[in-house]
Amino acid sequence: MATASASAPGKLMLFGEHAVIYGRPAIVTAVNQRITVELAARREGIRLTSPSLGIKNEEIKLGANSYSKDVRFVAQTLALFSSQFGNPGGMDILIHSEFKKTYGFGSSSAVTVALASALCKKTAVKLSEKELFDFCYSVVLSVQGVGSGFDIAAAIWGGTLYFVGGGKQIIPLKTSSLPLVVGYTGVKADTPAIVREVRRLVAKRKEWANRLFSQIKSVVEQAKTALENEDMYALGGLMNQNQAFLVKLGVSSPQLDRLISASINAGAYGAKLSGAGKGDCMIALVEEKNRPRVEEAIRSAGGEILNVKLNAEGVK
Ligand code: MEV
């Protein structure tokens, strides 16, 4: 019997990836695929079971660094929680995931948020959403060193957010779910590695990169208004502009380009990569009557269609 449980959604970046690392805004939405964490009391020690990670009853030592990346998020959440709020005691942790972690929906962030929330419940620690954000963001930074925290914000607040790097601004946007088609390239992106690669480029071409990020910022600001007005033509055009800037930044890929062109040729309002790039997913904004054509075009170009709904509920 679980003594505490919580679930958190994955995310899709709509606008502003990479520029958000450099202080610009981004727009992110939560998806209706979730990770659930259940905690059950145990006399001593911590054991982790996660069928999707292929882990059964693995002993977790707080903060130990020798684990695989996914388990490191768990161990680090437990260690930081213990040092900030007191030892949560022995427990069995069970993690269920509704999505394949290869899709780039932010499984590590969803695990961190769901586990931190369940630990708060187990120990009767009360945190505001912003305090939970700051805690989970510190876990992400201590495990992978880089990241804007947008995926943590999506997992906590849910819905669709206007987000400024590090959580300087987190504004829920009033918008209904967008008619998006999500196409998976079949290639898993290594987000921290791509973020570091962009960082090296930015160091070499500072002024050029700053101009590019400011242009992306302008696209994001316009997209915020277009989203609030549900202006699909404007949004589609802005997605294309954002994609052109990401191509200049060098983070698209032949697979992404193929799926994006196929969706535009099949009548999408606009399309772009979503996330770090070089793989993972692309998104295309469509008129509902065009959805089957666009989906077929993406499949024919080698993509896999992922059926996700946007604007999903945050951690609960
Ligand atoms: C990755 O999904 C989006 C990036 O902007 C990284 C981040 O914001 O943490 C590339």
Side-chain angles (χ1 to χ4, degrees), residues 11-13 16-21 26 104 137 140 144 146-151 163 191-192 194-195 198 274-277 280:
K11 53 74 196 170
L12 266 179
M13 182 66 111
E17 44 275 273
H18 289 290
V20 67
I21 300 262
Y137 186 40
V140 169
Q144 64 184 28
V146 292
S148 64
F150 81 101
D151 37 8
F163 176 88
T191 299
I194 299 167
V195 168
V198 170
S274 171
D280 285 350

Side-chain angles (χ1 to χ4, degrees), residues 184-315:
Y184 178 56
T185 55
V187 177
K188 171 82 191 109
D190 180 347
T191 299
I194 299 167
V195 168
R196 286 193 190 97
E197 207 177 305
V198 170
R199 190 188 278 167
R200 283 193 290 276
L201 180 68
V202 172
K204 262 200 236 146
R205 303 184 62 190
K206 243 196 183 99
E207 272 181 35
W208 170 84
N210 251 317
R211 248 192 333 270
L212 197 62
F213 292 146
S214 295
Q215 286 166 317
I216 293 177
K217 173 179 178 194
S218 158
V219 166
V220 174
E221 299 297 356
Q222 293 173 66
K224 177 174 179 280
T225 309
L227 259 173
E228 285 166 338
N229 297 334
E230 304 200 355
D231 182 344
M232 298 299 148
Y233 282 105
L235 273 176
L238 291 163
M239 284 169 79
N240 294 339
Q241 284 183 39
N242 197 158
Q243 174 62 17
F245 293 133
L246 291 165
V247 168
K248 280 194 185 165
L249 198 59
V251 294
S252 199
S253 70
Q255 288 97 327
L256 281 164
D257 294 345
R258 229 183 354 260
L259 305 193
I260 290 167
S261 307
S263 66
I264 305 267
N265 292 338
Y269 291 119
K272 63 182 279 295
L273 65 83
S274 171
K278 305 217 167 177
D280 285 350
C281 293
M282 52 73 68
I283 50 178
L285 188 66
V286 296
E287 210 175 339
E288 274 310 335
K289 73 171 174 25
N290 264 344
R291 181 182 288 276
R293 272 185 60 193
V294 172
E295 290 188 352
E296 193 38 49
I298 292 174
R299 273 194 212 98
S300 302
E304 179 188 345
I305 299 299
L306 306 184
N307 288 313
V308 290
K309 291 210 166 47
L310 313 182
N311 237 355
E313 203 182 340
V315 67

Side-chain angles (χ1 to χ4, degrees), residues 7-14 26-35 99 104-107 109-111 113-114 129 132-133 136-137 140 148-164 167 169-172 310-316:
S7 80
K11 53 74 196 170
L12 266 179
M13 182 66 111
L14 298 180
I27 297 176
V28 58
T29 193
V31 300
N32 68 337
Q33 298 196 0
R34 308 183 72 86
I35 285 188
F99 52 83
F105 284 166
S107 56
S109 307
V111 164
V113 168
E129 285 169 327
L132 182 61
F133 173 85
C136 294
Y137 186 40
V140 169
S148 64
F150 81 101
D151 37 8
I152 292 286
I156 293 174
W157 276 267
T160 300
L161 303 172
Y162 173 92
F163 176 88
V164 179
Q169 283 186 63
I170 302 171
I171 305 174
L310 313 182
N311 237 355
E313 203 182 340
V315 67
K316 58 181 179 182

